[in-house]
Amino acid sequence: MTDNVWTRWPSREALSRVGVHQARRVLAWVTRAIVLTMLVATTLTNSELGGWAVAGGVVGVAVSGLLAWGFWRTTLEHRLPVSLALLALLLAVAVAGHGAGFRVPSLVLLCGCAVAAIERLPLAAALPATAVALGAYAAFDNDIWLTTAATAAGLALAGYVLRLDAEARASAQRLLVQERAAHAAEAESAALAERARIAREIHDVLAHSLSAQLVHLEAARLLIERGADRETILERVVAARGMARDGLAETRQALSALRGEMSPLEDFLGELVATADRAGVTVTGERQPLPAEASQAVRRVAQEALTNVRKHAPGAEIHIRLDYGEHEVTLDVRDSGGKPGELSGSGAGYGLLGMRERAELLGGSLDAGPGEEGFVVTLRVPV
């Protein structure tokens, strides 16, 4: 529910110096110093008054300064009773100063009270206070009534303009704070997304590498249980060691990819099929550079698909087709099928699920299922 415009305080940002340019602050302090100097000089050079009266005038100027500072602080804290009490004391000092013969300082103080009241107080309290200050000014001023009325109206308008200017500055300051908070949230979100991407890349590399090692280590275990000869078992262990070495190389490649140092996708697929028996790759369409995320998705799906063939259809013929379309790139990995291997039951089955999630994050899709002969994995990623 919006506060009533008459009882609403100017915001604390408007009443404070937050967002005020340094040059403007210096100008404000210089203006205050000039006004204070003029008041003191006028008081000291008043030849119509005696020494004690002049000393009292100087004390009055000092007291007025302290009261004005207190008024600034209490309005900043939105303490209405204390603010009104301090403003009343300032008006009393002005009236007393006029009675003591300090006409000019008294009129200046009344003008300042009128402007400050309408600038810093809720309108319901500011208007009566400003009316009292300007009424006293009109009573003490010796100019013709038209000049006095014009001066009073100008002072009221100046106070209101200063109020609007301060509120506009406060709104700009709040918008700046909100924009900075939004930028900070956006940066944090981007950092979290990047962390998730890095974690996904490392997870996929390790999952593929460890799964491939598991294939050979599980085979070695089965061979040992069956009493196979030493050479056969050693072959499996050496293969597992090679997979570990390849996994380390893939991890380095993934880190390089995260730094934007990826090798061409066609070269990667060529190296991948070179490590498999009876595997080939075909590239169609107009070759084009892919975004890092899309390129990584194609690489990981190809690796996962080949690992699955080794586990579920060892010795099957594998064909990889990479098609560059106008709006998407398609990877098709299919095998000729075969008798399930001894390790077909190993693994938790999360590889293709992870690949599907990766594809969906990029706005693509992954389909995996039986084909005419064997198993088919098809990845589509927009580019």
Side-chain angles (χ1 to χ4, degrees), residues 120-211:
R120 300 185 66 86
L121 291 174
L123 289 178
L127 293 181
T130 301
V132 171
L134 293 179
Y137 172 83
F140 296 156
D141 190 26
N142 294 329
D143 292 331
I144 59 175
W145 70 269
L146 186 59
T147 302
T148 301
T151 302
L155 290 171
L157 181 60
Y160 191 66
V161 168
L162 289 174
R163 182 190 186 100
L164 294 179
D165 177 70
E167 285 289 10
R169 173 174 52 81
S171 298
Q173 186 65 24
R174 287 192 293 269
L175 288 176
L176 179 61
V177 171
Q178 293 174 2
E179 183 178 0
R180 288 174 178 172
H183 284 319
E186 183 179 354
E188 182 178 0
S189 177
L192 291 175
E194 182 65 12
R195 290 175 188 172
R197 186 171 80 93
I198 292 173
R200 190 166 56 248
E201 294 297 339
I202 300 302
H203 168 269
D204 290 345
V205 169
L206 293 178
H208 166 74
S209 174
L210 294 177
S211 177

Side-chain angles (χ1 to χ4, degrees), residues 9-372:
W9 281 87
S11 64
R12 284 182 169 81
E13 293 87 357
L15 295 175
S16 67
R17 299 186 182 93
V18 176
V20 178
H21 194 272
Q22 183 66 28
R24 186 171 177 177
R25 292 188 183 185
V26 172
L27 179 62
W29 279 110
V30 170
T31 303
R32 293 188 186 100
I34 292 174
V35 172
L36 184 61
T37 302
M38 291 177 59
L39 291 177
V40 174
T42 303
T43 301
L44 294 176
T45 57
N46 194 333
S47 59
E48 300 177 359
L49 302 176
W52 287 106
V54 171
V58 173
V59 172
V61 171
V63 170
S64 299
L66 291 175
L67 291 175
W69 178 83
F71 177 77
W72 187 89
R73 292 297 305 177
T74 55
T75 53
L76 181 62
E77 298 169 359
H78 292 179
R79 297 165 59 189
L80 185 59
V82 181
S83 299
L84 290 177
L86 291 172
L87 186 63
L89 289 175
L90 283 169
L91 293 174
V93 171
V95 173
H98 185 273
F102 299 101
R103 175 177 172 275
V104 173
S106 173
L107 292 177
V108 172
L109 185 55
L110 288 172
C111 293
C113 289
V115 173
I118 202 168
E119 179 186 4
R120 300 185 66 86
L121 291 174
L123 289 178
L127 293 181
T130 301
V132 171
L134 293 179
Y137 172 83
F140 296 156
D141 190 26
N142 294 329
D143 292 331
I144 59 175
W145 70 269
L146 186 59
T147 302
T148 301
T151 302
L155 290 171
L157 181 60
Y160 191 66
V161 168
L162 289 174
R163 182 190 186 100
L164 294 179
D165 177 70
E167 285 289 10
R169 173 174 52 81
S171 298
Q173 186 65 24
R174 287 192 293 269
L175 288 176
L176 179 61
V177 171
Q178 293 174 2
E179 183 178 0
R180 288 174 178 172
H183 284 319
E186 183 179 354
E188 182 178 0
S189 177
L192 291 175
E194 182 65 12
R195 290 175 188 172
R197 186 171 80 93
I198 292 173
R200 190 166 56 248
E201 294 297 339
I202 300 302
H203 168 269
D204 290 345
V205 169
L206 293 178
H208 166 74
S209 174
L210 294 177
S211 177
Q213 293 176 53
L214 179 62
V215 169
H216 292 285
L217 292 176
E218 185 69 10
R221 184 186 67 82
L222 293 174
L223 290 172
I224 292 173
E225 290 180 352
R226 295 173 183 177
D229 61 276
R230 179 177 179 277
E231 292 299 326
T232 305
I233 298 173
L234 182 60
E235 180 183 350
R236 289 293 185 173
V237 174
V238 170
R241 185 185 66 177
M243 289 296 177
R245 184 175 58 250
D246 294 342
L248 181 59
E250 291 173 8
T251 302
R252 290 171 179 166
Q253 185 182 39
L255 294 176
S256 298
L258 292 172
R259 293 192 296 264
E261 302 171 356
M262 288 187 293
S263 60
L265 185 56
E266 299 81 8
D267 296 346
F268 173 83
L269 294 178
E271 295 173 0
L272 187 63
V273 298
T275 62
D277 297 331
R278 304 178 65 193
V281 60
T282 302
V283 179
T284 60
E286 184 179 353
R287 301 185 183 186
Q288 55 182 306
L290 301 180
E293 283 284 318
S295 179
Q296 283 293 88
V298 173
R299 296 165 194 256
R300 296 296 166 253
V301 169
Q303 287 178 325
E304 182 66 27
L306 261 65
T307 299
N308 286 341
V309 173
R310 292 192 187 102
K311 290 168 58 177
H312 301 286
E317 184 178 349
I318 306 171
H319 182 70
I320 299 177
R321 183 175 63 86
L322 179 65
D323 176 53
Y324 287 100
E326 184 177 357
H327 301 294
E328 68 177 13
V329 61
T330 302
L331 175 71
D332 186 86
V333 182
R334 60 183 64 225
D335 62 75
S336 60
K339 183 179 179 181
E342 297 174 338
L343 304 176
S344 59
S346 63
Y350 295 136
L352 289 177
L353 177 61
M355 294 299 100
R356 182 174 289 109
E357 292 175 350
R358 175 191 285 268
E360 291 174 352
L361 286 174
L362 298 175
S365 63
L366 185 139
D367 298 317
E372 294 180 359

